Amino acid sequence: MAVRLEMRNMTKNYGSFKANDSISLSLNAGEIHAVVGENGAGKTTLMRMLYGMEQPTSGDIYLDGKKVMFSNPNDAIENKIGMVHQHFMLFPDFTAAENIVIGHEPMKVGFFDRKKAIEKVQNLVDQYKIPVRPNAKSASCSLGEQQRIEILKVLYRGADIIILDEPTAVLTPLEVKGLLKTIRELANQGKSIILITHKLREVMEVADKMTVLRNGKVTGSVSRQETSVDELAKLMVGRDLQNLSTLTPMNGKPILEVKNMTIQEKTNKPILDDISFAVNQGEIVGIAGVSGNGQSELLQAITGLRPIQQGNVYLEGKDVTNQPVASIREAGLSHIPEDRYLWGAAKQATVEETALMGYHTKPSYQSKSFLLKKPFRKLVKDWITKFEIKAGSLEESAGNLSGGNLQKLIVARELGQETPILIAAEPTRGVDIGAMEYIHEALLNKRNKGEAVLLVSSELTEIMALSDRILVMYEGEIVGEIGRKDATEEAISVLMAGGVTT
């Protein structure tokens, strides 16, 4: 295969910090090349230099054997390089077709030719077998379809090299399978793909070649045939990963009980319809389901973020239905929210202030209504060490942290509450494999101490690895419960799609 792209000895310094240290990689025509590594390993910085968003301190880029330099993304796009970012950049009130052609709209007599735009987009859909509804408003599309719209945007602009930045971060298992199929189809049609990710099983399923980064340096560059998930993980982390603690049944008393919960809004069908379940001492109960089937609303109702029209929530026998968030937390609940920016942190607050949220009322950190910062700072520094949170200082704005590092700070804060029950929604979203291992072990330790965890995750492997019982939600209802011994990906996926297991 012909070499399309070479990056030679790419180095990027920020003051004395070396984000990329003499990194080299090559990309062939029709090849899928995964760049893998933990958060902070240098993956995104490397791709930002390729896409013209950052200028290298040193190093060279060659495109089809010719040395090039991109001063901005427009230069990269003109050279047929496109990038699909982790956070989608769509106008919610525009249709898929309008989002795809924006900036390069087909015109007729000086006006936007909507019919021609739809025709062009449909041709792309047919050519690359990427299922998108050209007339659907992006706000009504699933995250998987929004992802496909973003891919079609770069294809519409003529990209031959496509950079995908953590493309499966917010997708369900079924959507992930569809995306991997799309990526392979693009490669089969001659497109060259760079896949930035830390999800090694997906890498092994779709990538032809992998370059592994750790602390800004290349630790290995291998083909799929030469490696394994365990070997890639070792290259990423620098050590062998530990096995998770074993789970033994505890049969404890109920800690959290949800009884006949119904949430009805303006639509005819309830968002949640007569939901009942319990989470007991010494167990992790997982909730699986395709995004948008009521999981978010359920957690918001339990934690006091959304009113309940019918039904009750009990914590250790105490009715906390529709109580304020602070009262529910004081009753013994901690919460890792699914949206770290909306619910879990204040971007303008410092790292220390973000860590302090929920602790400022505790007697051990107060004296005559004043905060005792010294003992609390020691606690935060311990969290930073244990979770390997990369922060410049405690005074740095939380919004300046990478998504993964902010997630680790929130997880540390909520686990540190040591409450009878923890609600963990997407606890490892965006974190690196080493932190994921630590978070999983921490959740199991909480369970093994006789406390309880309600886990919601779009990662089926995470649900299956950690849960004693798995509840599956579909269209606002719990449609099935599967015990740990009977849990298979096939059985759970059938329920998630609204089917019935036999």
Side-chain angles (χ1 to χ4, degrees), residues 158-360:
D160 285 332
I161 295 172
I162 302 172
I163 306 164
L164 299 171
D165 186 4
E166 296 286 357
T168 65
V170 294
L171 302 186
T172 66
L174 291 175
E175 289 171 331
V176 168
K177 287 182 179 179
L179 177 65
L180 297 183
K181 184 178 179 182
T182 294
I183 292 171
R184 178 47 63 190
E185 178 63 31
L186 289 171
N188 289 342
Q189 295 200 35
K191 302 297 183 184
S192 302
I193 312 293
I194 298 178
L195 179 63
I196 307 172
T197 188
H198 60 269
K199 298 186 177 182
L200 300 183
R201 296 191 186 282
E202 293 168 13
V203 166
M204 290 298 294
E205 188 171 339
V206 75
D208 301 302
K209 192 162 60 178
M210 304 89 168
T211 294
V212 185
L213 305 184
R214 186 170 74 245
N215 296 327
K217 296 181 179 181
V218 174
T219 57
S221 189
V222 293
S223 69
R224 180 172 49 188
Q225 293 76 19
E226 296 173 329
T227 192
S228 65
V229 168
D230 289 343
E231 187 60 34
L232 288 174
K234 188 173 181 180
L235 288 169
M236 281 174 60
V237 182
R239 57 178 172 80
D240 290 319
L241 295 182
Q242 301 171 354
N243 292 322
L244 287 174
S245 303
T246 56
L247 298 177
T248 54
M250 293 196 182
N251 302 315
K253 67 179 184 180
I255 299 293
L256 170 69
E257 295 175 275
V258 174
K259 295 186 177 180
N260 308 112
M261 181 189 288
T262 296
I263 292 180
Q264 178 82 52
E265 289 196 345
K266 295 178 182 178
T267 56
N268 292 327
K269 182 175 174 57
I271 296 173
L272 296 177
D273 192 2
D274 198 30
I275 297 278
S276 295
F277 66 91
V279 185
N280 301 321
Q281 278 182 323
E283 74 169 352
I284 297 175
V285 173
I287 296 182
V290 176
S291 178
N293 278 274
Q295 306 95 305
S296 298
E297 291 82 359
L298 173 63
L299 298 193
Q300 289 166 19
I302 292 171
T303 56
L305 293 168
R306 176 185 287 266
I308 301 167
Q309 278 78 47
Q310 180 182 314
N312 299 87
V313 178
Y314 298 91
L315 277 178
E316 295 191 297
K318 179 183 177 182
D319 190 342
V320 295
T321 310
N322 289 329
Q323 292 293 306
V325 172
S327 299
I328 295 173
R329 287 176 71 88
E330 287 170 9
L333 180 143
S334 50
H335 178 206
I336 301 167
E338 63 178 327
D339 189 325
R340 50 183 167 249
Y341 294 109
L342 183 61
W343 306 111
K347 286 186 180 181
Q348 303 306 316
T350 66
V351 169
E352 182 180 25
E353 289 165 345
T354 300
L356 183 62
M357 294 170 184
Y359 286 79
H360 57 286

